[in-house]
Amino acid sequence: MTVTIYDVAREAKVSMATVSRVLNGNPNVKPETRKKVKDVIERLDYRPNAVARGLASKKTTTVGVIIPDISNLYYSSLARGLDDIAEMYNYQIIITNTDNDPEKERDAFLGLISKQVDGIVFLGGALNEETLNDIKGSHLPVVICGTSEKDENMPSVNIDYYEAIKEAASKFLEEGAEQIAFVKASYSEQLERHIEEGIKAAYQEKNKDFDEQYILSAAEDYQSGKSLFGKIQELKSDVVITMSDETAIGVLHGAMDHNIAVPDEIQIMSCSNTRLVNMVRPPLSSVALPLYDIGAVGMRLLTKYMNEETVEEANVILPYKIEYRATTK
Amino acid sequence: MTVTIYDVAREAKVSMATVSRVLNGNPNVKPETRKKVKDVIERLDYRPNAVARGLASKKTTTVGVIIPDISNLYYSSLARGLDDIAEMYNYQIIITNTDNDPEKERDAFLGLISKQVDGIVFLGGALNEETLNDIKGSHLPVVICGTSEKDENMPSVNIDYYEAIKEAASKFLEEGAEQIAFVKASYSEQLERHIEEGIKAAYQEKNKDFDEQYILSAAEDYQSGKSLFGKIQELKSDVVITMSDETAIGVLHGAMDHNIAVPDEIQIMSCSNTRLVNMVRPPLSSVALPLYDIGAVGMRLLTKYMNEETVEEANVILPYKIEYRATTK
DNA sequence: GTGAAAGCGCTAACAA
DNA sequence: TTGTTAGCGCTTTCAC
């Protein structure tokens, strides 16, 4: 029925071991033998069974990706970077959506373990305590992209959120902003802390007090941003910084609906920079995270762990850039 | 080291076969035995190795998803529906991006075959001839979502594009539209044909001639739409229908930049309805494809094939709805 | 209701 | 340079 390595061996009049060797590019094969085997492989249209291979070698060339929601542009941009590099290194990715639900997250993780993935990439959101312990217990290489963990020793790829937010906030303050509202949409306490510290540092540098009530929360979608506008108006903020682009666009439209001029009366900036930023008018100013690159670098980092290469820096910080478009002065 | 079925058998003082039976919910196990085994499983924290299982049973509970670009909202919406249903049926999905490149597509397919996936979902884009033949030769269940194939016997999930476009075009014509430009962004000739026929049918019903030059092409992104606006203006179209939301938004902004009033001077509608439609002002009118559902139903259909259930209808047509928002009168 | 044993298709010592 | 052989961890007849 299906042609196996045994069929190839028989046809080529060599042993399975030799076929296996040419399959795996083992140099210990005489060129003629190699050619002979390759010819038979081609003639029989033989395709190695990766499952059998995985069982025998304990390597599946598959990595798991745990992601809050693939239909969110932020995460799917990361995922695209991930997959491109995975493909380059001959890995395939199993993607599982969790909606940031700890239970789904744990199930996803256990599922991936049982599938014997060679590594796992965790995207965005927060890793709950229990899963985190499972991960550590599993001795599987894991890389976290686009979010920070309590245990900051876990390999990760990020930008320097503290610096980014501080830089953005400072600029606003310098130019006369009075009250910056910050809308967090992250599920990672750690990440939120970095960000809050960034804002506070900016205020401190200007010798201004920061009022905690200007830190708001919203889900990372359009509607949440829109609903939040009332609150923002109440607070009389003249600047709003959000994590998610969608949230920022929601706020923007909230402002437009209330006839508040953007950026004259209120400035809006996000911290994400998906392709959405150019698809609204006015174009959204944003801290530009290199989303694709974060994914790509994350996967590259993971391959290093999987191949037991030495890694110099487990916590990669990628550069960010602040794109001032038309929602800021 | 890792605990295997053998360890469980030994500890529970039964045979591996029995452990396997309780694992797989085989009823031929005495309740006491079952309980005993379950206890040991729990105590040892035993997790079945899905790879070994796959090798022995020739079922991997993994399905492959071949997709043009996961970072495109259209496809990622489909993918999300796919994954949710896959999870429900205890399947996991391997996602591979192809950028509609036939070579990548073929590699993706061969990779999935070698991983012994139980089925494949093909999303959007066009399946090239060669891959299509491979698929047929593989006897693997395959479902196509959101696009049509030459071979219309392949299981698929779609809306009735012909009817949708015809309905939309008819309405525009009835209300006095003179020249409808249609921007296709599909890679499937088959799909394009359905759509063109829909438009032509609408013109015919109104006894008007349709001029082929009003059928334009663009990539399914924002910039392409924007660049296309010059051409549209040249054609003096008063209605533009695009496949992709991003393209429509590009056209919309093109119009705004040229001080052409939307919808008064030009009406714009897309045929997709991702969450983007509400994130622009004015909100984009669109033929609402049930993207999530197309994915979900597609995966459900695939599970039927994988479990050898009987399927009544291999070519599922889901209902569409035309959402008239503010880019149309 | 349960167990013994033969694979599934491959890799990886170890020998030769 | 090549072959032999013993698994990898499970499912699945087939007996009992």
Side-chain angles (χ1 to χ4, degrees):
Chain A
M1 188 67 203
T2 51
V3 18
T4 73
I5 198 173
Y6 179 77
D7 300 318
V8 176
R10 185 169 29 71
E11 286 288 309
K13 300 191 177 59
V14 297
S15 71
M16 296 164 51
T18 301
V19 179
S20 177
R21 284 190 192 100
V22 344
L23 243 34
N24 296 296
N26 184 317
N28 291 338
V29 182
K30 220 194 322 176
E32 300 131 66
T33 319
R34 181 183 306 278
K35 167 134 182 33
K36 192 170 58 177
V37 171
K38 284 200 163 168
D39 286 351
V40 175
I41 287 178
E42 182 132 355
R43 180 156 58 79
L44 265 44
D45 195 24
Y46 164 69
R47 309 254 174 67
N49 179 325
V51 175
R53 234 172 172 166
L55 183 59
S57 69
K58 298 182 171 309
K59 295 212 171 309
T60 55
T61 62
T62 304
V63 326
V65 175
I66 297 179
I67 191 174
D69 179 13
I70 193 64
S71 70
N72 177 311
L73 216 32
Y74 176 88
Y75 299 117
S76 61
S77 306
L78 291 169
R80 184 59 212 262
L82 234 41
D83 187 47
D84 283 358
I85 303 304
E87 197 203 307
M88 201 174 285
Y89 285 85
N90 284 309
Y91 284 91
Q92 277 157 316
I93 63 176
I94 295 183
I95 289 190
T96 332
N97 294 281
T98 66
D99 293 316
N100 276 302
D101 173 346
E103 204 158 324
K104 280 198 196 177
E105 189 177 296
R106 187 131 200 286
D107 288 348
F109 178 76
L110 295 180
L112 293 172
I113 292 287
S114 95
K115 288 255 159 104
Q116 315 296 121
V117 295
D118 295 339
I120 290 184
V121 179
F122 189 87
L123 292 189
L127 215 38
N128 77 81
E129 205 71 31
E130 206 175 344
T131 313
L132 194 62
N133 287 332
D134 282 341
I135 288 179
K136 286 180 181 163
S138 72
H139 297 293
L140 252 192
V142 172
V143 169
I144 294 180
C145 292
T147 188
S148 340
E149 255 338 290
K150 272 210 194 72
D151 178 356
E152 304 211 335
N153 291 320
M154 295 222 82
S156 65
V157 183
N158 271 306
I159 64 153
D160 186 337
Y161 284 99
Y162 170 86
E163 270 305 329
I165 296 296
K166 185 177 161 207
E167 179 183 339
S170 295
K171 178 112 187 297
F172 285 125
L173 291 173
E174 267 161 32
E175 296 181 350
E178 287 300 327
Q179 292 296 0
I180 302 176
F182 183 79
V183 186
K184 53 189 191 182
S186 156
Y187 295 87
S188 158
E189 291 174 24
Q190 198 58 24
L191 182 54
E192 290 175 356
R193 223 189 52 217
H194 288 165
I195 285 167
E196 290 187 28
E197 284 170 0
I199 297 183
K200 285 176 187 164
Y203 271 81
Q204 202 153 24
E205 263 185 21
K206 303 288 174 294
N207 294 312
K208 295 186 71 164
D209 286 334
F210 179 72
D211 184 343
E212 298 273 350
Q213 71 171 319
Y214 284 87
I215 294 192
L216 308 171
S217 286
E220 42 196 343
D221 67 348
Y222 174 79
Q223 201 50 51
S224 304
K226 205 156 171 231
S227 316
L228 202 68
F229 189 77
K231 176 76 180 163
I232 290 168
Q233 209 173 13
E234 239 172 64
L235 288 169
K236 299 197 200 318
S237 285
D238 47 359
V239 173
V240 182
I241 302 178
T242 73
M243 286 301 286
S244 140
D245 288 343
E246 281 201 29
T247 311
I249 295 173
V251 172
L252 171 62
H253 287 170
M256 288 163 70
D257 290 351
H258 287 78
N259 288 313
I260 308 291
V262 177
D264 293 334
E265 295 174 71
I266 189 165
Q267 303 186 72
I268 300 171
M269 171 174 275
S270 69
C271 183
S272 175
N273 206 56
T274 63
R275 51 214 283 191
L276 287 177
V277 294
N278 284 308
M279 288 196 257
V280 285
R281 290 302 171 89
L284 184 64
S285 299
S286 187
V287 176
L289 308 200
L291 294 172
Y292 180 93
D293 294 349
I294 290 176
V297 170
M299 182 55 76
R300 178 65 188 104
L301 184 57
L302 188 65
T303 61
K304 285 185 184 167
Y305 284 109
M306 294 189 298
N307 302 327
E308 290 170 336
E309 297 172 36
T310 55
V311 332
E312 277 123 45
E313 182 52 60
N315 297 103
V316 181
I317 300 296
L318 258 30
Y320 65 88
K321 198 173 155 222
I322 303 189
E323 300 280 4
Y324 291 95
R325 300 195 181 87
T327 55
T328 50
K329 287 181 209 168
Chain B
M1 187 71 201
T2 51
V3 18
T4 72
I5 198 173
Y6 179 77
D7 300 319
V8 176
R10 186 169 29 71
E11 286 287 310
K13 300 191 176 61
V14 296
S15 70
M16 295 164 51
T18 300
V19 180
S20 176
R21 284 190 192 98
V22 343
L23 242 34
N24 296 295
N26 185 317
N28 290 338
V29 183
K30 222 196 317 180
E32 302 131 67
T33 319
R34 181 182 306 278
K35 167 136 182 31
K36 192 170 58 177
V37 171
K38 284 200 163 170
D39 287 350
V40 174
I41 288 179
E42 181 133 354
R43 179 156 58 78
L44 265 43
D45 195 24
Y46 164 68
R47 309 254 174 68
N49 178 325
V51 173
R53 231 170 175 169
L55 184 59
S57 69
K58 298 184 171 307
K59 296 214 171 308
T60 55
T61 63
T62 303
V63 325
V65 175
I66 298 180
I67 191 174
D69 178 13
I70 193 65
S71 69
N72 177 311
L73 214 33
Y74 176 88
Y75 299 117
S76 62
S77 306
L78 291 169
R80 183 61 211 262
L82 234 41
D83 187 47
D84 282 358
I85 303 305
E87 198 202 308
M88 201 174 284
Y89 285 86
N90 284 309
Y91 284 92
Q92 275 157 317
I93 62 175
I94 295 183
I95 289 189
T96 333
N97 293 281
T98 66
D99 292 316
N100 277 302
D101 173 347
E103 204 159 324
K104 281 198 196 177
E105 189 176 297
R106 187 129 199 285
D107 288 349
F109 178 75
L110 296 180
L112 292 172
I113 293 286
S114 93
K115 289 254 159 105
Q116 315 297 119
V117 294
D118 295 338
I120 290 183
V121 178
F122 188 87
L123 292 189
L127 214 39
N128 77 81
E129 204 72 30
E130 206 175 345
T131 312
L132 194 62
N133 287 332
D134 282 341
I135 287 180
K136 286 179 181 165
S138 73
H139 297 294
L140 253 191
V142 172
V143 169
I144 294 180
C145 292
T147 187
S148 338
E149 254 338 289
K150 272 210 194 73
D151 178 356
E152 305 210 335
N153 290 320
M154 295 222 83
S156 65
V157 183
N158 271 306
I159 63 153
D160 186 338
Y161 285 99
Y162 170 85
E163 270 305 329
I165 296 296
K166 185 177 161 206
E167 180 183 338
S170 294
K171 178 110 187 297
F172 285 124
L173 292 174
E174 268 161 30
E175 296 181 350
E178 287 299 328
Q179 292 297 1
I180 303 176
F182 183 79
V183 185
K184 53 188 191 182
S186 156
Y187 295 88
S188 157
E189 292 175 22
Q190 199 58 23
L191 182 53
E192 290 174 356
R193 223 190 51 215
H194 289 164
I195 285 166
E196 291 187 28
E197 285 171 0
I199 297 184
K200 286 175 185 164
Y203 271 82
Q204 203 154 23
E205 262 184 22
K206 302 289 173 294
N207 293 313
K208 293 186 71 164
D209 286 334
F210 179 71
D211 185 344
E212 298 272 351
Q213 70 171 319
Y214 284 86
I215 294 191
L216 308 171
S217 285
E220 41 197 342
D221 67 348
Y222 174 80
Q223 201 50 53
S224 304
K226 206 156 170 232
S227 316
L228 203 67
F229 189 76
K231 176 76 181 163
I232 289 168
Q233 209 172 13
E234 238 172 64
L235 288 170
K236 300 196 197 325
S237 285
D238 47 359
V239 173
V240 182
I241 302 179
T242 73
M243 285 302 286
S244 139
D245 287 344
E246 281 202 29
T247 311
I249 296 173
V251 172
L252 171 63
H253 286 170
M256 288 163 70
D257 290 351
H258 286 78
N259 289 312
I260 308 292
V262 177
D264 293 335
E265 294 173 70
I266 190 165
Q267 304 186 71
I268 299 171
M269 171 173 276
S270 69
C271 182
S272 175
N273 206 56
T274 62
R275 51 214 283 190
L276 287 177
V277 294
N278 284 308
M279 288 196 258
V280 285
R281 290 303 170 89
L284 184 63
S285 299
S286 188
V287 176
L289 309 200
L291 294 172
Y292 179 92
D293 295 348
I294 291 176
V297 169
M299 183 55 76
R300 178 64 188 106
L301 185 57
L302 189 65
T303 62
K304 286 185 185 168
Y305 284 110
M306 294 189 299
N307 301 327
E308 290 170 335
E309 297 173 36
T310 54
V311 332
E312 277 122 44
E313 181 51 60
N315 296 103
V316 182
I317 300 297
L318 258 31
Y320 65 88
K321 197 172 156 222
I322 303 189
E323 299 281 4
Y324 291 95
R325 301 195 181 86
T327 55
T328 49
K329 289 183 211 168

